[in-house]
Amino acid sequence: MTTQNNPLLQEFDHAPFSKIENKHFKPAIIKAIEMAREEINAIASNADEATFPNTIETLEFSGEKLDRVTSIFFNLNSAETNEEIQQIAQEVSPLLSEFRNDIILNKALFEKVKSVYNKKDQLDLNTEQKTLLDRKYKAFSRNGANLPIEKQNELRDIDKKLSKLSLDFGQNVLAETNKFELHLTDENDLKGLPESFKEEAAQVAASKEKEGWIFTLEYPSYLPFMKYAENRELRKKMALAFGSKGFHGDELDNQENVLQIAKLRYQRAQLLGYKTHAHFVLEERMAETPEKVNSFLDEILEKAKPAAEREFKELENFAKDLDGIDQLQKWDAAFYSEKLKQKLFNLDDEKLKPYFKLENVIDGVFTVAQKLYGLSFKEVFDVDKYHEDVKIYQVLDENNKEMALFYADFHPRPGKRDGAWMTGYKSQYKKDGEEERPHISIVCNFTKPSKKQPSLLTFNELTTLFHEFGHALHGMLGDTEYPSLSGANVYWDFVELPSQLLENWCYEKEALQLFAKHYETGEVIPMELIQKIKESANFQEGMATVRQLSFGMLDLSWHGVDPSAITDVKANEDKAFARTKLFPNVEENCMSTAFSHIFQGGYSAGYYSYKWAEVLDADTFEYFQQNGIFSREVANKFKTNILSQGGTDHPMTLYKKFRGKEPKPDALLKRAGLIEK
Ligand SMILES: [Zn+2]
């Protein structure tokens, strides 16, 4: 195939979905990699002295075609995939990582970048340029570009070992999950389980040609079982199996993997000149240092612990009154919490859903964006889409300037992965005096309309839509020079601020009145329901907070120290959990050996970010509340200092410009009902 008839290799503004066929992807990606390589080689071999424009800026704008083609391809692989696309992904992924590695290992290129970096103080750069230079330089230095060759080899060697160990870790967890099943044949043992859930378990058994019901350690099976099963012994059996993954001293045991991973990460950090792995990770986070994260976790723990203990006592008393339980155990927590929650709130989704018709909610979130930021949304029908369900909007500001193109894809279908996410098809940037506006997309999996009923959202789906739309606003309002610093391209303990912030409007009467109307009667959602939603959102918030903190502390017990002296995984864990403990210790269980977030995924030294982001969003929302949740003044400050700025400056600097001070956890603790208002 020639490049001329490949639509991906032509010039285009919005993605030309109707012209793209699967056969176009691989040749387009190969060609785009080639183009990017040429651009980069031209920078590296430039005979002129390295300057900010000829090196850093040129590097930033290189590979534009590759970015556009791969964003289309990988977005489709998530939202509208098939076997052919998956196969192509398998083929192009190694090519892409090879390309990226070659850049990082390109010595001539690094020398150019470094020579600009070394004279940065004489260059009279603005803040955004300084940040870009710093990011480009660190992309090399954090991968060992400054080390002598033998140390670089050592680093590659550690990286190889680490990727194998993480893989082994994950495979063991998966094998342990698959190995266990709870096979029941006596219906009495199923007491308390909802009918539909029982049916699913019967289907699992039937698919294995067994009688009765099978429950597994996968979340959709495990969580409802722990929540509803009345048989305490069976709950215990499930909890022990779930909590001892990778901790049986057999060939699937992960204890040695945990110790090795922690030690190698520490060695890697030391090689690169950092005190610990956490120091290395946090250099590129808003939180900056493990010391700051530790004091952050300590401060919240001190304030949340009394509430957690109170809630634990309440739950203990409830279980005692109800079933004569003397010692509340971990496997009782979900079960009695659910019962207590029902007793206190009796709030079920079916009562709320009629008020959240999808079309009304979309109007609602658009109205909120209009009131806050003056944006308007006009559906357009002449732009290519990848599926007929997708809706596309032109986003305009108050002066009718086009700010973005917004793609929204709401319903599940085969070929779309689970969950909800925000992504983009084109970056925002400014180049040669021209401004390019972004193409932003959100993808969700909300219940489809039927012949009888429109799409009615659960409350959880409502907050999910606001959440993703919050990310989308970050992208749409981006106003930066460089694409890699625009919109949601920020440190990842800062990236959830715009999204979590917008969820707050889902709990406010003033906002709900705008759109939460019964789909048949038009009646506005009753205030008492809103009140109940708020109260139930805070149910057992103390216990939940302490649990989150305990995971953050466990994470740092592995990554914020020199781990060479640690030999006993369980003992280290018990020590890390000592201050957050509410339930009796379970000897047979160990969390670290199945803590995939930090030992397999990318969350090492980052688990604290969940709470960190909550502190930011609560602190920001409090500012709105003090001035009115639709205050244009506060919204403007937020837009000017945070949303439009992307990653152009350190998040703490941006935040202080917006808020006038550093974030404090008090607003979060108040919102969660953990301290007095
Ligand atoms: Zn998010």
Side-chain angles (χ1 to χ4, degrees):
M1 193 189 327
T2 62
T3 55
Q4 271 124 36
N5 52 26
N6 190 329
L8 288 165
L9 292 170
Q10 313 300 311
E11 286 291 313
F12 54 82
D13 183 42
H14 46 77
F17 292 113
S18 66
K19 298 192 196 112
I20 303 171
E21 295 171 47
N22 287 345
K23 64 174 184 194
H24 294 131
F25 285 117
K26 197 174 168 187
I29 289 172
I30 290 172
K31 177 74 189 165
I33 289 177
E34 215 175 281
M35 291 159 68
R37 269 190 208 282
E38 275 166 31
E39 289 164 29
I40 282 165
N41 288 339
I43 304 169
S45 62
N46 191 344
D48 296 344
E49 189 197 347
T51 63
F52 184 83
N54 80 12
T55 303
I56 305 301
E57 259 180 354
T58 314
L59 184 59
E60 169 72 359
F61 288 112
S62 71
E64 193 194 342
K65 192 71 187 171
L66 185 61
D67 285 345
R68 296 226 53 192
V69 175
T70 49
S71 71
I72 293 174
F73 177 70
F74 286 106
N75 283 336
L76 286 183
N77 192 29
S78 292
E80 180 67 4
T81 194
N82 53 48
E83 273 177 28
E84 207 182 336
I85 291 186
Q86 283 163 359
Q87 178 57 36
I88 299 168
Q90 294 284 339
E91 289 165 22
V92 300
S93 292
L95 303 178
L96 290 164
S97 44
E98 191 194 329
F99 168 66
R100 277 184 226 112
N101 271 334
D102 287 350
I103 298 181
I104 295 302
L105 299 176
N106 187 326
K107 228 176 149 19
L109 181 64
F110 177 60
E111 288 310 322
K112 292 263 180 192
V113 172
K114 192 176 176 177
S115 83
V116 181
Y117 185 79
N118 284 343
K119 57 188 175 200
K120 63 181 177 206
D121 295 333
Q122 296 122 55
L123 295 178
D124 200 21
L125 301 175
N126 65 31
T127 306
E128 181 173 355
Q129 290 169 328
K130 277 186 200 149
T131 303
L132 185 73
L133 175 56
D134 194 58
R135 291 270 199 114
K136 295 286 180 221
Y137 175 75
K138 293 261 171 65
F140 292 91
S141 68
R142 287 169 61 85
N143 277 292
N146 275 320
L147 297 178
I149 188 74
E150 58 303 343
K151 298 261 178 200
Q152 280 194 15
N153 291 338
E154 213 178 306
L155 195 74
R156 304 287 159 245
D157 195 42
I158 291 178
D159 282 341
K160 244 185 243 157
K161 282 187 192 151
L162 273 173
S163 69
K164 164 123 185 28
L165 284 165
S166 302
L167 209 64
D168 289 348
F169 183 95
Q171 280 168 354
N172 287 347
V173 174
L174 188 67
E176 285 275 61
T177 305
N178 293 336
K179 203 168 114 181
F180 176 88
E181 57 179 43
L182 179 69
H183 183 202
L184 300 176
T185 48
D186 181 352
E187 193 157 9
N188 282 326
D189 289 336
L190 308 186
K191 263 206 194 123
L193 302 181
E195 279 310 315
S196 60
F197 179 55
K198 281 203 265 187
E199 258 165 55
E200 281 165 37
Q203 275 173 23
V204 176
S207 74
K208 298 185 174 184
E209 291 174 9
K210 287 187 183 164
E211 303 216 335
W213 303 266
I214 286 179
F215 301 91
T216 71
L217 299 182
E218 293 195 49
Y219 284 108
S221 182
Y222 178 74
L223 294 179
F225 191 91
M226 298 307 289
K227 207 161 153 184
Y228 298 113
E230 287 178 15
N231 188 321
R232 195 182 186 208
E233 275 310 304
L234 291 176
R235 287 203 311 266
K236 179 178 177 182
K237 202 172 170 187
M238 286 287 268
L240 291 184
F242 191 89
S244 60
K245 284 187 273 185
F247 194 56
H248 292 119
D250 55 11
E251 75 286 356
L252 298 177
D253 194 285
N254 264 336
Q255 291 175 81
E256 196 49 36
N257 288 335
V258 165
L259 293 171
Q260 287 300 324
I261 291 172
K263 281 169 196 170
L264 284 168
R265 281 175 176 164
Y266 175 74
Q267 276 177 32
R268 190 183 193 282
Q270 288 266 310
L271 255 180
L272 290 167
Y274 297 86
K275 203 171 150 203
T276 68
H277 178 66
H279 288 87
F280 169 75
V281 170
L282 291 164
E283 181 187 55
E284 296 202 318
R285 298 284 194 271
M286 184 177 181
E288 288 182 312
T289 63
E291 292 74 20
K292 254 195 187 166
V293 174
N294 276 324
S295 63
F296 168 78
L297 297 173
D298 286 348
E299 182 181 359
I300 298 186
L301 178 62
E302 191 192 316
K303 290 175 175 157
K305 190 86 187 278
E309 279 165 348
R310 219 166 38 237
E311 290 161 8
F312 183 77
K313 241 332 352 86
E314 185 191 19
L315 190 64
E316 214 171 30
N317 291 337
F318 178 71
K320 191 167 179 126
D321 290 348
L322 202 67
D323 290 332
I325 301 285
D326 275 329
Q327 172 73 73
L328 198 68
Q329 298 283 355
K330 274 190 181 146
W331 44 87
D332 299 318
F335 180 77
Y336 288 105
S337 294
E338 175 64 20
K339 287 240 175 323
L340 181 58
K341 192 174 183 185
Q342 283 306 328
K343 186 185 149 197
L344 293 176
F345 304 107
N346 186 26
L347 192 69
D348 88 68
D349 266 330
E350 296 311 312
K351 267 189 217 156
L352 299 173
K353 276 165 73 174
Y355 297 99
F356 302 128
K357 184 171 117 174
L358 178 62
E359 287 74 10
N360 293 346
V361 172
I362 295 170
D363 280 348
V365 80
F366 286 171
T367 308
V368 169
Q370 199 262 325
K371 283 174 161 286
L372 292 174
Y373 306 114
L375 299 176
S376 57
F377 297 78
K378 206 170 85 193
E379 188 166 0
V380 290
F381 300 92
D382 55 353
V383 175
D384 265 21
K385 35 179 93 164
Y386 56 89
H387 189 278
E388 57 179 10
D389 278 359
V390 178
K391 289 178 183 298
I392 303 177
Y393 302 87
Q394 187 187 31
V395 187
L396 302 167
D397 76 358
E398 273 163 320
N399 307 316
N400 268 335
K401 177 188 163 190
E402 179 166 330
M403 295 302 287
L405 207 54
F406 176 54
Y407 296 70
D409 179 1
F410 290 117
H411 303 298
R413 57 176 172 264
K416 191 195 272 193
R417 73 171 159 87
D418 290 344
W421 61 96
M422 169 269 197
T423 177
Y425 288 97
K426 183 185 164 196
S427 306
Q428 176 271 320
Y429 59 88
K430 295 171 201 165
K431 193 179 163 191
D432 308 328
E434 293 281 319
E435 186 179 0
E436 298 289 338
R437 294 307 309 170
H439 299 169
I440 304 293
S441 163
I442 64 172
V443 187
C444 313
N445 277 286
F446 300 147
T447 321
K448 269 194 120 157
S450 67
K451 283 204 181 88
K452 277 188 248 154
Q453 237 182 21
S455 171
L456 302 175
L457 305 190
T458 63
F459 192 75
N460 190 30
E461 288 175 329
L462 170 74
T463 54
T464 300
L465 179 57
F466 272 69
H467 180 103
E468 297 310 330
F469 193 77
H471 282 307
L473 285 172
H474 206 178
M476 291 186 236
L477 293 171
D479 186 21
T480 67
E481 298 285 322
Y482 304 119
S484 73
L485 300 179
S486 179
N489 291 310
V490 298
Y491 287 164
W492 82 347
D493 54 0
F494 194 56
V495 73
E496 297 299 333
L497 167 58
S499 52
Q500 291 182 185
L501 174 67
L502 208 65
E503 289 182 41
N504 287 287
W505 274 259
C506 299
Y507 299 86
E508 295 299 314
K509 184 179 165 196
E510 222 185 317
L512 286 166
Q513 275 174 340
L514 299 169
F515 67 90
K517 294 174 184 162
H518 197 284
Y519 77 105
E520 286 171 326
T521 64
E523 172 215 15
V524 173
I525 190 166
M527 226 6 248
E528 56 164 272
L529 270 183
I530 300 176
Q531 197 48 40
K532 261 194 185 179
I533 293 169
K534 276 194 181 179
E535 283 169 16
S536 78
N538 283 344
F539 176 64
Q540 290 187 345
E541 192 55 32
M543 278 166 71
T545 299
V546 166
R547 195 175 123 93
Q548 280 275 332
L549 296 175
S550 76
F551 297 161
M553 290 172 176
L554 180 60
D555 179 12
L556 284 185
S557 83
W558 290 114
H559 297 119
V561 296
D562 170 0
S564 15
I566 306 175
T567 50
D568 185 332
V569 173
K570 175 77 171 167
N572 186 58
E573 180 167 311
D574 288 347
K575 209 169 94 195
F577 282 160
R579 288 186 303 149
T580 52
K581 210 172 121 202
L582 292 168
F583 290 89
N585 187 23
V586 183
E587 240 1 273
E588 301 93 315
N589 285 7
C590 181
M591 166 141 192
S592 300
T593 53
F595 200 175
S596 302
H597 255 74
I598 63 166
F599 289 112
Q600 184 193 2
Y603 263 83
S604 60
Y607 206 92
Y608 75 94
S609 353
Y610 290 108
K611 264 293 156 240
W612 184 272
E614 280 181 48
V615 165
L616 294 179
D617 96 69
D619 192 60
T620 299
F621 190 61
E622 184 182 58
Y623 194 23
F624 271 100
Q625 281 178 311
Q626 286 160 355
N627 294 277
I629 63 164
F630 289 116
S631 159
R632 276 308 283 270
E633 196 198 327
V634 179
N636 232 329
K637 274 191 178 174
F638 192 68
K639 182 175 91 171
T640 313
N641 296 300
I642 308 262
L643 294 175
S644 70
Q645 294 298 312
T648 55
D649 202 348
H650 196 280
M652 190 60 91
T653 311
L654 296 178
Y655 194 84
K656 285 202 293 205
K657 275 189 190 162
F658 155 65
R659 190 69 167 97
K661 58 187 174 81
E662 288 199 6
K664 284 240 173 314
D666 299 54
L668 171 68
L669 296 163
K670 275 187 241 164
R671 184 177 72 186
L674 299 177
I675 56 173
E676 296 287 311
K677 290 202 186 194

